[in-house]
């Protein structure tokens, strides 16, 4: 936030008129962390939607569809930013196939990192694919990131470009590629969990690992999302997780079974059932 001062010290005098310049409220700025107080326990949270990292407790937990859903839901509320879903998996996943129902990507994370002006919004958007809700999709190839690059530099350049990154980190939570993102407390953490007994059993060790490596306070701000991937999946899984693990995280929510998601093809917001769209908007509200 910049203060408005006279151009030269000589312009100041002891007269009330001149001193009023110093007493005048500063113009609106852009604080590093815009926060509001959470009344239930005193944590400071972002008032606006922060960048998001989505990790899966196990394979097939719905990280890609959750990242796409969160970014698309956010695009309707935060028009001043460009939501970009970024593939942060270890070797590249199916983000482009699931996310691009409008324009295929022209580049990858690796090719974009090699651009000389990658911190410009135009460079990011030129590399991205797009869905019908105008959310950018930035996949990655199977090769390593360029030398001396990491997802810390990816995140820095995307923020410089004015983007709102939503990272699809895949699984497991110990994926070393996302370690720089986990270490940044300004990036909200979403942990997806398939509505399966084995996935629920794998979740607790993952939470213990996060607690040991990134502190209870970081974990306490995470949101667990149970994804129902079969028509027979009921609310019992989410209720079980909420009962036994809910006290360790900010919230436990769920994505209902959706026939459009179950096809495994490109995800279109307009084709999702209304309860599914509402569930993604609920995640956005929980992250604010």
């Amino acid at each position: 936030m910049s203060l408005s001062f006279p151009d030269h010290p000589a312009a100041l005098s002891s007269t009330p008129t001149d001193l009023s310049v110093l007493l005048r409220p500063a113009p609106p700025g852009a604080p590093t962390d815009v926060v509001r107080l959470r009344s239930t326990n005193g944590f400071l949270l972002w008032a606006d939607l922060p960048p998001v990292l989505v990790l899966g407790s196990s394979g097939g937990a719905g990280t890609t569809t959750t990242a796409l859903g969160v970014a698309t839901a956010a695009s309707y509320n935060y028009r001043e930013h460009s939501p970009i879903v970024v593939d942060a998996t270890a070797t590249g996943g199916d983000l482009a196939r699931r996310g691009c129902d409008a324009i295929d990507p022209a580049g990858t994370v690796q090719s974009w990192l090699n651009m000389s002006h990658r911190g410009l919004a135009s460079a990011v958007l030129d590399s991205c694919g797009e869905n019908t809700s105008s959310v950018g999709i930035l996949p990655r190839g199977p090769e390593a990131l360029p030398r001396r690059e990491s997802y810390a530099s990816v995140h820095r350049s995307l923020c410089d470009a004015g983007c709102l990154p939503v990272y699809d980190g895949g699984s497991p939570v110990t994926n070393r590629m996302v370690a720089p993102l986990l270490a940044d407390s300004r990036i909200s953490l979403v942990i997806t969990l398939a509505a399966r007994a084995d996935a629920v059993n794998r979740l607790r060790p993952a939470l213990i690992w996060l607690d040991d490596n990134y502190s209870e306070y970081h974990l306490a701000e995470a949101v667990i999302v149970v994804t129902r991937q079969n028509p027979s999946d009921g609310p019992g899984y989410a209720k079980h997780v909420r009962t036994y693990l809910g006290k360790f995280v900010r919230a436990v929510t769920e994505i209902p079974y959706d026939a459009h998601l179950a096809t495994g093809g490109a995800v279109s917001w307009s084709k999702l059932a209304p309860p599914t769209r509402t569930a993604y908007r609920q995640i956005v509200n929980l992250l604010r």
Side-chain angles (χ1 to χ4, degrees):
M1 183 179 294
S2 59
L3 297 175
S4 177
F5 288 100
D7 294 332
H8 193 276
L12 293 175
S13 71
S14 59
T15 64
T17 302
D18 291 329
L19 287 176
S20 66
V21 175
L22 294 177
L23 299 176
R24 191 169 55 204
T32 303
D33 294 316
V34 182
V35 296
R36 65 179 174 84
L37 187 63
R38 180 178 175 185
S39 60
T40 55
N41 53 23
F43 281 125
L44 288 176
L45 306 178
W46 290 66
D48 207 347
L49 184 68
V52 181
L53 170 62
V54 184
L55 290 176
S57 60
S58 61
T63 59
T64 299
T65 54
T66 300
L68 291 168
V70 168
T72 305
S75 70
Y76 290 97
N77 296 329
Y78 302 97
R79 295 291 185 180
E80 68 274 16
H81 296 294
S82 298
I84 305 291
V85 186
V86 185
D87 191 331
T89 58
T91 57
D94 61 349
L95 177 62
R97 183 176 63 84
R98 299 302 306 272
C100 298
D101 65 337
I103 302 173
D104 290 333
T108 62
V109 172
Q110 291 93 328
S111 64
W112 166 70
L113 285 171
N114 281 317
M115 297 177 72
S116 56
H117 301 291
R118 69 192 193 197
L120 297 178
S122 57
V124 178
L125 296 177
D126 285 345
S127 297
C128 285
E130 191 172 309
N131 69 13
T132 48
S133 300
S134 299
V135 171
I137 310 296
L138 186 59
R140 67 158 291 170
E143 68 274 15
L145 298 185
R147 183 172 178 268
R148 301 184 68 185
E149 301 287 0
S150 71
Y151 276 93
S153 52
V154 169
H155 183 66
R156 182 169 58 248
S157 295
L158 288 174
C159 291
D160 288 345
C163 299
L164 174 64
V166 179
Y167 297 98
D168 172 16
S171 64
V173 297
T174 54
N175 171 13
R176 65 182 182 86
M177 298 296 296
V178 300
L181 304 177
L182 278 172
D184 190 340
S185 61
R186 295 169 296 182
I187 300 175
S188 286
L189 177 60
V190 172
I191 304 171
T192 60
L193 171 70
R196 304 192 312 262
D198 67 301
V200 175
N201 292 336
R202 295 178 189 178
L203 178 59
R204 189 177 184 89
L207 296 184
I208 292 173
W209 183 88
L210 287 169
D211 187 18
D212 288 343
N213 289 273
Y214 296 99
S215 87
E216 64 173 301
Y217 300 105
H218 193 39
L219 182 60
E221 290 304 301
V223 173
I224 296 176
V225 177
V226 178
T227 58
R228 296 198 215 167
Q229 301 178 28
N230 295 289
S232 59
D233 292 337
Y237 290 101
K239 182 179 179 181
H240 178 77
V241 174
R242 193 175 290 113
T243 299
Y244 292 100
L245 299 176
K247 64 181 179 181
F248 300 112
V249 295
R250 187 192 305 184
V252 176
T253 187
E254 61 181 338
I255 303 298
Y257 171 79
D258 190 289
H260 176 56
L261 292 178
T263 63
V267 178
S268 298
W269 181 260
S270 61
K271 296 180 180 179
L272 294 173
T276 306
R277 294 197 294 265
T278 299
Y280 286 131
R281 292 190 178 103
Q282 172 65 11
I283 298 173
V284 170
N285 290 336
L286 290 170
L287 294 174
R288 294 181 62 203

